[in-house]
RNA sequence: UGGGGGAUCGUCUAGUGGUAGGACUACGGACUCUGACUCCGUCUGCCGAGGUUCGAAUCCUCGUCCCCCAGCCA
């Protein structure tokens, strides 16, 4: 049944293009895509969109999707990132089999092709400084000027390029440039740089090279080498397509891929720019790339998000060419939807309020039967201990209940889930502070299990935990990272860092959980009834003191009634 | 005032000359041993102005607004 949802992938303009290409036999009926991350950061939910698109396309059209690391800038790239990216990709549920490539695998071929361009008079070594090149480039409205080195002979260019490779020059002294058109209206076509000198070790090729190819030269050729048919990237590369095509047209390689662009994902209440994410990590604002508040896949994973929820989200947001911002509420919806059907229900009291059942026998402990998941009877049931002293949520009692408040109040009867009806008889306060520290209640033995034989109803059912058997835990309540839906919005000199939600993490200690939660396994997901979904964080847990992360709250219409104050700027 | 793209409910997205549909959100209601889930209902939309046409979100014209490009980043 769930399959019905999973198999209907909504169409989009890229699928339409592919269907058309298949019809006309453009690539001989082949569909080959690739996911090309630069290993200079961790994957985030925006990458997930691209991953789902590229792998999803391959899957639907019986094609292939390669993993290719775009590692042409040794200054920024690290193996740590390569490993993390692969782990996240696998976790998300995608398999690239043996098709794992690196642009750096092609450095030899790239070099050979660059030499060919030089020999064809289509590239030259420029010895202008970076600053001079910038000045020669012109502006958006004025054409650029040709470099004085543009007319160097083929022989001289070959020699210089060879010596660049041999390490005879300093960084910045020379670059290899394509010879296109310095007055081209598209700035990228004004003799773009193809190679630069970088005397830095590369995470894979080590000291082997001291010149590195630029993105525009590398990417299209890598696509062609891998015989990619549809090279899908984001909107900001639209201008690069002209250069992508130019390079491939000059080289006439056996395969001829084409580039298509779609709008990258933006999500409300978070940031998805790699630069900003790195900043949050490097400046210690987040505990790491996998801080559960991060929109990274590793952060979401630790937060308790499932691959299924993320994939489903990626499917629902669609693929188009217009810049857009997806409401994070949709992401929250997909994780609730997934967890609702798979997460076992448990009872846990986050802010305990002691309740003594006066007429319950001292020392008696009953095991009550509780359903594990009403959405899935196959998940069976468990037993939960009940005794004279229990805890309920502080929120579930009001000395002076407002109207529409159904929960416990003096003299009022409510149900304890799977247990008994109890009535509040007395309120005990701390004489010093006036704070309610204990409730004295009575129970109705006839309501065991939660039903009254006389058919009387109660308006509320509360979750609870028996004090003696409770597991003490730390619970980390996570909320949205930013208080503004668009943290990048320019507001008098403020940056996104000024809008970090001070309540994005609240740590609660002394939480009381039902005993079954005492031996949760790594990453286990639960619904704490009436509260939300929580994930066992084994890394933060210690023996006898488990730690749970709140993935997302349950929808809460009572909270909506009370605090209609949650503003959305 | 160079070039390349883009504008459909609050948000995302279908629709390619024939009743503007879905999802999320919001708001009502039903149900309920989770104020959850589920179900039902409601609200709100084709950037603007002309034109072509029996008929336009769709085609044409002219505007408007938004995004991208002046890295030896990707």
């Amino acid at each position: 049944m769930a399959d019905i949802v999973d198999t209907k992938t909504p169409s989009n303009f890229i699928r339409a293009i592919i269907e058309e290409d298949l019809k006309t036999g453009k690539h001989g009926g082949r569909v080959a895509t690739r996911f090309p991350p630069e290993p200079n950061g961790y994957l985030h939910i925006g990458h997930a969109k691209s991953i789902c698109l590229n792998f999803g396309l391959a899957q639907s059209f019986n094609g292939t999707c390669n993993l290719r690391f775009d590692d042409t800038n040794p200054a920024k790239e690290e193996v740590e990132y390569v490993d993390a990216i692969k782990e996240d990709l696998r976790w998300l549920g995608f398999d690239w089999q043996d098709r794992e490539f690196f642009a750096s695998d092609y450095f030899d071929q790239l070099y050979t092709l660059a030499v060919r361009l030089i020999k064809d008079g289509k590239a030259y070594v420029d010895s202008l400084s970076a600053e001079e090149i910038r000045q020669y480039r012109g502006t958006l409205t004025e054409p650029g000027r040709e470099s004085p080195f543009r007319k160097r002979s083929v022989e001289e260019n070959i020699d210089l390029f060879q010596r660049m490779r041999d390490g005879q020059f300093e960084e910045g002294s020379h670059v290899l440039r394509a010879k296109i058109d310095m007055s081209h209206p598209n700035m990228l076509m004004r003799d773009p740089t193809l190679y630069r000198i970088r005397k830095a070790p590369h995470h894979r090729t080590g000291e082997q090279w001291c010149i590195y190819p630029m993105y525009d030269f590398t990417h299209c050729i890598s696509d062609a080498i891998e015989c990619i048919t549809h090279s899908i990237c984001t909107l900001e590369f639209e201008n690069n397509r002209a250069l992508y095509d130019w390079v491939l047209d000059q080289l006439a390689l056996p395969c001829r891929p084409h580039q298509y662009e779609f709008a990258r994902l933006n999500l409300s209440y978070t940031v998805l720019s790699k630069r900003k994410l790195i900043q949050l990590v490097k400046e210690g604002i987040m505990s790491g790339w996998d801080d559960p508040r991060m929109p990274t896949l590793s952060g979401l994973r630790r937060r308790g998000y499932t691959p299924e929820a993320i994939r489903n989200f990626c499917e629902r947001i669609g693929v188009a060419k217009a810049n857009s911002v997806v409401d994070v509420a949709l992401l929250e919806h997909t994780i609730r939807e997934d967890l609702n059907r798979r997460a076992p229900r448990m009872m846990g009291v986050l802010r305990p309020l002691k309740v003594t059942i006066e007429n319950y026998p001292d020392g008696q402990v009953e095991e009550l039967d509780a359903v594990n998941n009403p959405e899935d009877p196959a998940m069976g049931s468990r037993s939960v201990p009940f005794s004279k002293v229990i805890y309920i949520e502080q929120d579930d009692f009001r000395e002076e209940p407002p109207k529409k408040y159904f929960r416990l109040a003096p003299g009022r009867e409510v149900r304890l889930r799977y247990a008994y009806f109890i009535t509040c008889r007395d309120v005990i306060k701390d004489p010093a502070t006036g704070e309610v520290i204990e409730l004295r209640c009575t129970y109705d033995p006839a309501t065991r299990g939660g039903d009254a034989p006389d058919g009387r109803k109660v308006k509320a059912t509360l979750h609870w935990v028996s004090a003696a058997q409770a597991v003490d835990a730390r619970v980390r309540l996570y909320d949205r990272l930013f208080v503004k839906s668009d943290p990048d919005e320019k507001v008098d000199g403020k940056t996104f860092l000024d809008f970090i939600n001070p309540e994005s993490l609240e740590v609660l200690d002394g939480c009381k959980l039902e005993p079954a939660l005492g031996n949760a396994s790594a990453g286990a997901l639960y619904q704490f009834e009436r509260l939300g979904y929580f994930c066992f964080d084994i890394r933060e847990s210690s023996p006898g003191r488990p730690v749970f992360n709140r993935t997302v709250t349950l929808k809460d219409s009572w909270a909506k009634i009370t605090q209609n104050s949650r503003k959305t700027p």
Side-chain angles (χ1 to χ4, degrees), chain A residues 27 32 34 68 180 186 188-189 192 215-233 237-253 255-261:
Chain A
H27 299 280
R34 101 268 92 113
R68 181 171 73 232
I180 307 181
N186 180 347
L188 280 165
M189 299 295 272
Y215 166 85
D216 287 302
F217 187 63
T218 308
H219 205 95
C220 54
I221 293 173
S222 302
D223 283 343
I225 290 172
E226 293 173 23
C227 265
I228 298 302
T229 56
H230 302 263
S231 180
I232 300 164
C233 62
F237 290 97
E238 274 176 321
N239 297 320
N240 299 249
R241 190 174 62 237
L243 183 48
Y244 185 104
D245 288 335
W246 183 90
V247 171
L248 293 184
D249 286 347
Q250 310 312 309
L251 268 12
L253 302 167
C255 291
R256 180 54 218 257
H258 289 270
Q259 175 183 305
Y260 302 91
E261 311 86 15

Side-chain angles (χ1 to χ4, degrees), chain A residues 146-161:
Chain A
E146 295 186 353
S147 164
F149 301 102
R150 200 176 198 259
K151 292 190 171 65
R152 286 218 255 233
S153 69
V154 169
E155 294 67 32
E156 189 183 0
N157 282 322
I158 294 285
D159 175 60
L160 253 14
F161 190 46

Side-chain angles (χ1 to χ4, degrees), chain A residues 20 24 28 33 46 85 113 149 160 166 223 233 276 305 332 342 353 359 374 418 447 467 487 515 536 541 545 562:
Chain A
E20 181 62 22
T24 61
T33 59
I85 288 169
L113 291 168
F149 301 102
L160 253 14
D166 291 345
D223 283 343
C233 62
K276 296 192 180 92
Y305 273 78
E332 294 172 346
R342 76 203 296 174
L353 173 59
N359 59 338
Y418 301 123
T447 58
F536 179 61
S541 299
R545 210 284 310 269
T562 52

